[in-house]
Amino acid sequence: MIGVQPVTAPTTMSAPVSARAALDLSVMKMEQDGERAKGDANARLIAAAAEVQLTGKGGRVDVTG
């Protein structure tokens, strides 16, 4: 079971998390994941463009769409 600790484990006092704070955190994580995905896609595009310049292969591919 997740979150179950043995009786001998020390417990810590933590502030309760409000639903609003949990939702804000979830939205921020989704935005961060989206930005990371965009960055990965841009890195792949740049790598592909560099390969075209080095090898000349795929030089007529339209990447503006």
Side-chain angles (χ1 to χ4, degrees):
M1 287 195 253
I2 298 173
V4 176
Q5 297 178 349
V7 176
T8 58
T11 58
T12 58
M13 297 296 289
S14 61
V17 177
S18 70
R20 175 69 183 186
L23 181 62
D24 288 345
L25 184 62
S26 177
V27 169
M28 288 185 343
K29 175 143 178 36
M30 287 180 2
E31 289 175 349
Q32 183 182 33
D33 290 346
E35 290 298 317
R36 184 174 292 126
K38 286 180 189 176
D40 291 345
N42 285 340
R44 286 191 305 272
L45 182 62
I46 291 168
E51 183 179 351
V52 167
Q53 285 184 338
L54 293 175
T55 64
K57 293 180 181 178
R60 297 182 185 204
V61 176
D62 180 17
V63 294
T64 60

